Amino acid sequence: MAYPVSPLAIPFPDLPPIAGATARVVRAGYKDWGRCDLTFIELDEGTSVAGVFTRNVCCSSEVEIGRENVRHGKARALVVNAGNSNAFTGYRGREAVEQIMEQVSAHLDCAREQVFVSSTGVIGVPLPKDKAREGVTKALVAAPCSWEDAASTIATTDTFPKGATAAAMIGDTRVTISAIIKGSGMIAPDMATMLGYLFTDAAVEPAFLQTCLSAANLRTFSCITVDSDTSTSDTVMAFATGKAGNAPLISFDSPGADAFAAAVHDVCRQLAHLVVRDGEGASKFIAVTVTGAVSDESARRIGLAIANSPLVKTAIAGEDANWGRVVMAVGKAGEPADRDKLSIGFGGVWAAREGLPLADYDEAPVAAHLKGKDITVEVDIGLGDGTATVWTCDLTHDYISINADYRS
């Protein structure tokens, strides 16, 4: 079922091609939706890989196998199936993944563990092996496509394709990152998020690529939430083809390593924000900034408690400056907080400071701020130097409508 494009949508950017990475898409027919639903990305020999994966203990075989194989550090292909998550499907689900890996590795004459598979969609239905086999057969010889085509093909309830790019200088060599992601609901990552893929022509050793991706994930994907639900299939992977010709990045001591790590973080932040902007039923993009916590991690947990609160999210949907609900969320977070030191604000206007409503508080500018599409909530705990920003969206009736008929 198609849904109206999110009012927070951002046009797909002009993503540069990445030497050594070729995308192709086909229709495998996993659902009767009349569009491409299988993405195949071929990667040149020598491509480094890194990944972060969901901590949901009911994860798919794709996640289990990917988590094992990413440790080898090399990749030759990525296959993404849309419309069927292949999670909670037992040995039949694993057989489907292994069949895809075997089929692609035979075609590319590479080790099976260099083929990565992701699937997204309905939980509890085994991925049809016949459709997967036929889809992969077509994908192996399909014409190359754009990153926008690939981004559209990996989507499920997304209302717009999502992509991001950044560049960095490594010595005299310019390296580029192009990335795509899908995600709209079941978004509350714990170590990863949705399905996201970064491709770069930089030469990067696998261990350092993993360091960069894990660090970026912690400050971006692990700081967003739509509905507090962590998916069974969440995966973010980075692939470095090495075609730019730079001296390989081995550690932060390598020239240009800081610039590359910053570019990875920038792309991950862009992608994370796009997922929130396409949150199911979203009408407002919300940034919650927490300062004065006892640690950065404590600030992040408090921010997520606020961002996950249905009462806070519905108040913002209704453009109601109900700061008492923010107080409630801080108090339930399970983190150190002192009622008499707590300050709450919206859009840069403080409503309460150090445990008390401000006598001269004027709600008019706050009400005006809440009528916009980009909302900020500020919370100062007053106990330390810990800071964090998390991102979420409001909760509207459309979220219920989308998820009530998701399988139909």
Side-chain angles (χ1 to χ4, degrees):
M1 180 176 180
Y3 301 100
V5 175
S6 169
L8 307 175
I10 292 178
F12 196 85
D14 183 15
L15 296 192
I18 299 297
T22 304
R24 300 177 172 92
V25 299
V26 298
R27 183 182 177 190
Y30 295 126
K31 289 180 67 175
D32 185 19
W33 50 9
R35 69 167 179 84
C36 290
D37 53 9
L38 187 151
T39 303
F40 168 59
I41 299 178
E42 183 177 348
L43 303 158
D44 280 8
E45 198 167 347
T47 297
S48 296
V49 64
V52 286
F53 303 87
T54 184
R55 287 181 174 172
N56 189 311
V57 296
C58 294
C59 65
S60 66
S61 293
E62 286 85 338
V63 168
E64 290 179 332
I65 296 172
R67 189 184 289 132
E68 296 166 7
N69 290 344
V70 78
R71 296 170 184 165
H72 296 285
K74 295 298 180 181
R76 285 298 313 282
L78 168 69
V79 175
V80 185
N81 305 300
N84 183 318
S85 77
N86 199 35
F88 200 67
T89 54
Y91 72 91
R92 290 178 295 176
R94 189 174 184 95
E95 286 179 350
V97 180
E98 291 175 340
Q99 172 188 287
I100 292 172
M101 294 169 63
E102 189 66 40
Q103 187 177 358
V104 175
S105 64
H107 176 79
L108 297 177
D109 191 24
C110 69
R112 200 174 70 165
E113 61 265 19
Q114 293 183 358
V115 178
F116 292 85
V117 182
S118 297
S119 300
T120 178
V122 175
I123 295 171
V125 179
L127 189 74
K129 291 195 288 186
D130 56 343
K131 292 183 178 180
R133 183 183 296 107
E134 293 173 7
V136 170
T137 298
K138 292 188 292 184
L140 294 175
V141 296
C145 70
S146 68
W147 288 122
E148 185 170 6
D149 287 337
S152 298
T153 300
I154 68 174
T156 50
T157 60
D158 301 56
T159 69
F160 64 94
K162 304 169 183 66
T165 186
M169 294 300 298
I170 300 178
D172 295 329
T173 304
R174 177 184 171 90
V175 301
T176 304
I177 303 172
S178 289
I180 59 175
I181 198 166
K182 65 83 54 181
S184 185
M186 205 178 287
I187 307 300
D190 185 1
M191 200 47 198
T193 183
M194 299 62 64
L195 299 182
Y197 308 101
L198 287 70
F199 304 91
T200 179
D201 55 5
V204 189
E205 288 298 308
F208 184 63
L209 187 62
Q210 185 66 57
T211 295
C212 294
L213 183 63
S214 295
N217 167 73
L218 185 62
R219 293 178 291 156
T220 59
F221 297 126
S222 288
C223 289
I224 66 172
T225 181
V226 168
D227 48 21
S228 82
D229 287 332
T230 299
S231 169
T232 57
S233 306
D234 293 347
T235 298
V236 175
M237 302 190 75
F239 303 92
T241 68
K243 296 300 181 180
N246 61 283
L249 300 178
I250 299 173
S251 70
F252 277 110
D253 292 330
S254 301
D258 288 339
F260 177 75
V264 171
H265 177 270
D266 181 27
V267 165
C268 290
R269 179 189 56 78
Q270 292 180 59
L271 295 177
H273 286 193
L274 289 170
V275 170
V276 172
R277 287 186 174 278
D278 202 17
E280 290 172 345
S283 69
K284 298 180 187 296
F285 177 85
I286 306 166
V288 180
T289 298
V290 178
T291 58
V294 295
S295 67
D296 290 349
E297 179 58 24
S298 181
R300 188 180 76 91
R301 290 174 180 166
I302 292 170
L304 287 172
I306 297 166
N308 279 324
S309 167
L311 289 176
V312 172
K313 290 157 72 75
T314 51
I316 293 177
E319 300 173 355
D320 177 14
N322 191 337
W323 55 268
R325 293 183 177 182
V326 179
V327 174
M328 171 278 300
V330 172
K332 75 169 186 177
E335 293 296 316
D338 185 333
R339 176 197 62 199
D340 297 330
K341 294 183 178 180
L342 185 62
S343 301
I344 308 290
F346 297 91
V349 177
W350 293 107
R353 293 285 285 174
E354 297 181 346
L356 291 172
L358 291 178
D360 59 352
Y361 169 56
D362 180 3
E363 191 169 304
V366 173
H369 176 68
L370 292 179
K371 290 185 181 298
K373 292 182 178 180
D374 291 276
I375 309 301
T376 63
V377 179
E378 297 87 21
V379 176
D380 188 79
I381 306 301
L383 295 179
D385 298 322
T387 64
T389 299
V390 303
W391 300 277
T392 189
C393 57
D394 56 342
L395 181 59
T396 70
H397 192 277
D398 284 343
Y399 179 87
I400 299 171
S401 300
I402 291 168
N403 284 284
D405 68 2
Y406 177 65
R407 293 200 303 166
S408 59

